Amino acid sequence: MRILGRGSEDVTLEERRTRLRPYYYLEPMQLEDVPEVSQLDHRCFSNPWPQSAYRRELVSPEGNFYIVLRQRLPSAQMRESEGQESRFSLLSSLFRSESEHADPIVGYAGMWIRAGEAHVTTIGVAPELRGKGLGELLFVSLMEEAIARDAEWLTLEVRVSNHQAQSLYEKYGLTRHGIRRRYYSDNGEDADIMWSEPLRDTEYLKRIERLR
């Protein structure tokens, strides 16, 4: 079935439905994003960071990398030309150069990069949007930045009970190399310490590329 689009353009019903779906895009986290990130952090975790911690991280971009994931809602899409569509429904990692502050932040992630080591500090996705591959997009974006900055390894801590996150990290070649006892202050849960294979290893990079 075809329906009349804007002007004289004909579009299928499925094409119009596609244009009405929300899509997602990534941006560098800015200081003005911190209050909204903090609100989401409180929804994602029982031991959220204080806003001051995010602000401290953002003033040293040479040693840190923090990003936000924004959701473009259908009402905003309809204000754009119908011919301009994003493909992040298919997990595109497009970064926008200009912030579109009307679009809510639905995810965030960050890491330290020091002395050849990329250390993931946080990854969060709005609870109602989990299971859509958005956490994977954020993690892969961190990994890509670590490679671009010539880090040799990537490491992180993960709750021993968080099997879903562990499976994601294992998918990208991370393995367990220790445990931090009572690492999480909210309930005293232990954390598994996971490390990637060498990020400068050609074969490992090829495997990562095939997974993206």
Side-chain angles (χ1 to χ4, degrees):
M1 175 182 178
R2 299 193 71 82
I3 59 178
L4 187 64
R6 291 178 57 181
S8 59
E9 178 192 12
D10 286 338
V11 295
T12 65
L13 182 59
E14 180 57 30
E15 287 171 338
R16 182 168 288 277
R17 286 173 176 167
T18 298
R19 293 173 185 179
L20 291 175
R21 294 172 185 158
Y23 69 84
Y24 308 89
Y25 60 93
L26 294 166
E27 290 184 323
M29 188 185 296
Q30 306 292 338
L31 283 171
E32 56 265 29
D33 295 327
V34 169
E36 188 175 356
V37 169
S38 179
Q39 290 178 4
L40 182 56
D41 203 13
H42 279 76
R43 295 178 57 209
C44 291
F45 299 109
S46 56
N47 57 340
W49 285 13
Q51 292 190 28
S52 58
Y54 285 106
R55 293 193 178 97
R56 282 197 303 271
E57 296 294 283
L58 294 177
V59 298
S60 303
E62 67 281 354
N64 303 316
F65 180 68
Y66 284 81
I67 53 178
V68 294
L69 177 69
R70 292 186 182 272
Q71 182 182 52
R72 170 58 60 92
L73 300 171
S75 59
Q77 289 176 254
M78 292 301 289
R79 294 195 295 268
E80 297 181 343
S81 168
E82 287 192 3
Q84 296 176 346
E85 300 175 15
S86 168
R87 295 187 60 194
F88 179 64
S89 306
L90 303 176
L91 292 184
S92 164
S93 58
L94 173 66
F95 277 79
R96 294 269 175 132
S97 59
E98 296 182 1
S99 179
E100 301 178 30
H101 295 289
D103 298 334
I105 293 173
V106 296
Y108 57 93
M111 65 181 173
W112 302 327
I113 308 169
R114 296 165 189 168
E117 176 184 311
H119 190 141
V120 176
T121 56
T122 187
I123 298 177
V125 174
E128 68 274 13
L129 294 175
R130 291 172 184 167
K132 297 179 180 293
L134 302 179
E136 181 170 2
L137 173 71
L138 288 162
F139 176 68
V140 171
S141 298
L142 296 182
M143 180 168 275
E144 289 177 343
E145 183 68 14
I147 294 168
R149 295 202 193 187
D150 201 33
E152 187 171 1
W153 310 90
L154 183 142
T155 185
L156 52 81
E157 290 87 14
V158 58
R159 289 180 184 267
V160 294
S161 64
N162 193 345
H163 303 300
Q164 184 175 6
Q166 293 168 20
S167 295
L168 169 62
Y169 304 143
E170 289 169 350
K171 174 181 176 180
Y172 286 89
L174 276 69
T175 53
R176 293 171 181 80
H177 288 267
I179 192 166
R180 297 195 193 281
R181 299 294 181 186
R182 303 186 61 82
Y183 181 75
Y184 294 97
S185 59
D186 58 335
N187 63 357
E189 185 173 356
D190 297 341
D192 282 327
I193 305 168
M194 301 187 75
W195 287 81
S196 70
E197 297 180 37
L199 296 180
R200 300 170 187 171
D201 181 270
T202 303
E203 291 304 314
Y204 180 51
L205 295 180
K206 287 179 180 177
R207 297 206 312 272
I208 296 300
E209 182 63 28
R210 287 194 294 269
L211 290 170
R212 293 178 53 227

